[in-house]
Every structure is written in C-alpha cells, then in structure tokens.
Amino acid sequence: MQRLITAGQVLVGPAGERIPDGAVLVDDDTITAVGPRAEVEAQAGAEAVRHSAATVLPGLINGHVHLVWDAGFGMLDRYQEAGDEQLLLGIAGRAQQALRAGVTTLRDLGDRGGLVLRVRDSIDRGEITGPRLLGSGPPLTPPKGHCWFFGGEVDGPEAIRDRIRRNAELGADVIKVMASGGQMTRESAPTWQNQFDGDELALVVKTAAEFDLPVAAHAHGTDAIVAAVEAGVDTLEHCSWQAAGGEGADLRDDVAREIARRGITVCHAYPPDWAGFARITGEAGARAAVERVRWMDEFGVRFVPGTDGGLPTSVFDNYAGALNYYVEAVGWSAERVLDMATTGAAQALGLTGVGRLAPGCAADVLALDGDPLADFAALHRQRLVLARGRAVAPDAQLLSE
C-alpha cells in the first residue's frame, strides 16, 4: 500500500537537512521517496495526505525504558505480584502509549525472563501494532544486587557467561549489566558503589561480543564508570559521576575525554516531568545534573536520550517532555535535540535504516501540527504516526485537511 504525505516542511533527520513544501512517499513498510512536494507527487500512485501547516520528521527513539513497570508509585510491588500474562499485556499497552506519542523505537533495559522480547517478536510478526523494540532481558547483577528481581543474578565468571548465553538465546538485542548499585533496590549496594570489578566487566563485554551483542552499563558512581569504560562497554546509563561514599560528584576530565575518544554513548535517562523531579531531588541536585551534561558535552561525549520509563512519574506518553529537558534546562537547540532523538540515537544504538527519512529506510514517520524548531511544544501535537508504514493513533479528522 502506498501512502503520500505532504507537509509545509520535512525534517529529513540529520540536523540542518530541511525540505520546505516537502513530501514523503511510503510503500508498505519502506520509504521510497523524499523531496520537494511536486517531485514526489509525480512519482506517487496514491492520493496525498496533506498537512500544509505541519512538519514531518522521523519517528522518535527512546533509549532507556522498562516496559514491565507502570510508572506509578508502588510500581515495583505491582510488578512483583503480577504474573507473566499480566505483564505481557502491560508491556504491549505501554509500548503503544509511547507509539501514539511519536516514539517509533524503544530500547528496554531490564525485564523478567525476556517478556519484552516476546512482545517485540509479536510486533515484528504483525500480530499487534507497536514500535520497534530492542530489549536486554534480565540485567546482570550480583546476588541481591540492583534489580535482582528480574532474574539476572550472577556470581562468578561461569555464571556471567551463562547468563549472557541465556539472554542471547532469549533473543536479546543488548546485554545490560548493573555496574553500580541502585537506589530503588534496598538490598543492593548504594548507587555510588561498584557491583562488579574491572575483570568481571571485561568478561561481560568479551562474552557479549561472542554473540555480537553490545553492552549497556548502569553506572552511577565514578569508580563504576571508570571500570565500565576500561572494559569497553557501548553505552553508559545514567553516568552521574557520584563520588565514593556518596558525597558529591567526582568529575574526571581524563575519563570524559576517554568516553568521547572511544565513542561510548551516554544515556542520561532523565524523566519527562524533569521540573517536578527537580523539586523532589532538590534544585541543587538538578542544577548539578545539568552541569554534568554540559561538562561531558565539552569533551565531545555523544548522548542518546532516554527516560528510564516505568519508574514513578516517568510515563511513556510524554517523550516530548523528556526531550524538552535538553532544550529548556541544558540549553541545546531544538534542531540538535531532534537530531539526537532520531538520526543520532539510531547511530548510537547500531540501527540501520532507522532515524531518518530517506529512500530505503523504514517508514517510521511523525507528522506534527506546527514547527518544532520554532516551537518545541509542537512535538506534543501529533497528527500522524507511522510505525513501519502502519498508521496509529491519530484522530480520523486529522488525516486530511
């Protein structure tokens, strides 16, 4: 089935690439043409879906979520009480919430027994509608370590190898390792403390590479960040540079420079309601978080946006709010942030044919009412979302003018 979408402007994906009065032609799940409206219309055998006052851009990519959690207070208790079938329904529903908000790719970094991977496979087979899902399955953590309840506890080299092999057999797209402790798991080490030593993290990276899988490391403490960088992980999740003992930050210029040199990507994983989160954590902590991002940016560290979706208040249907953090709080341009959430995120996560509008790319397309480059709030006004060519969510009257 062909679909022709025309708009006042098409943002192709990479920052700076803009087509005024443009069009995108989709055939089934693939983009076949992108360019000025008149040129693309001449190639089309379908009636245009016209959005003259709209902006068309690639679907958005959220690099860090947990679909097994419902984003409400008490979510962990509800997760632990739920059976697999209930969790599967919740995963599918929350993935669809994200899709209706313009997110066409989600990377999930921790679930029970690969449930997210089962939903991913159902979406890929066309049995249900949803975004493109990448999943890790149960993250590696020490006994009673951070997020032990996902089932990824390991103790010693052989257990590390076995857990990675089992995750690969589940169909994992990425291996997640809890390099440091975490606040939400009472039994685990504190957030600043290492959970694995350098040799163990190096073994995680080496074993994952045998299955051609990247490694995402949850790392809050500076010591954990250093160990993860030396081990050669692909992404650093949170990367909050907490000093040993938990008092203040320990910013290491040499390590930030090495992160950039190695091309390791940082996912800051900040929630959509970042202003409310700042009120909870305190203004000083919120300012420090912003300054850490700016500091890493000075060294050329690459970022991918994520929300830690599923944690309390980190909802799945307000990714625009999370991206606005980088505009309003960090001070980056809207153009840079959109690039980071589309083309840049796809590159960082190793996705091909995703994150840009070009012939041969997946038909992950978002049409907005307005211009997000001039008014970032336009990102909330979705008129049309295509996920691999399938239209989702928009009201019928918004499909044409």
Side-chain angles (χ1 to χ4, degrees), residues 282-300:
E283 293 299 326
R287 284 195 301 271
V290 168
E291 290 305 317
R292 286 195 297 269
V293 172
R294 292 173 178 166
W295 167 73
M296 285 186 279
D297 186 48
E298 291 176 0
F299 291 96

Side-chain angles (χ1 to χ4, degrees), residues 1 41 123 152-153 160 182 262 303 329 336 339 353:
M1 171 185 167
E41 281 185 335
I123 293 170
E153 292 173 288
I160 289 172
R262 292 185 180 221
F303 292 88
R336 175 180 179 178
D339 175 274

Side-chain angles (χ1 to χ4, degrees), residues 234-255:
D234 296 274
T235 66
L236 289 164
E237 310 303 312
H238 310 294
C239 197
S240 51
W241 300 91
Q242 294 180 13
E247 295 297 326
D250 179 16
L251 304 182
R252 294 265 306 267
D253 288 4
D254 59 326
V255 180

Side-chain angles (χ1 to χ4, degrees), residues 250-275:
D250 179 16
L251 304 182
R252 294 265 306 267
D253 288 4
D254 59 326
V255 180
R257 191 175 292 111
E258 186 66 7
I259 291 171
R261 188 190 71 80
R262 292 185 180 221
I264 297 171
T265 300
V266 168
C267 184
H268 187 41
Y270 227 58
D273 183 17
W274 50 271

Side-chain angles (χ1 to χ4, degrees), residues 6-25:
T6 70
Q9 67 171 345
V10 174
L11 304 180
V12 176
E17 294 191 21
R18 172 182 174 274
I19 304 171
D21 191 19
V24 177
L25 181 62

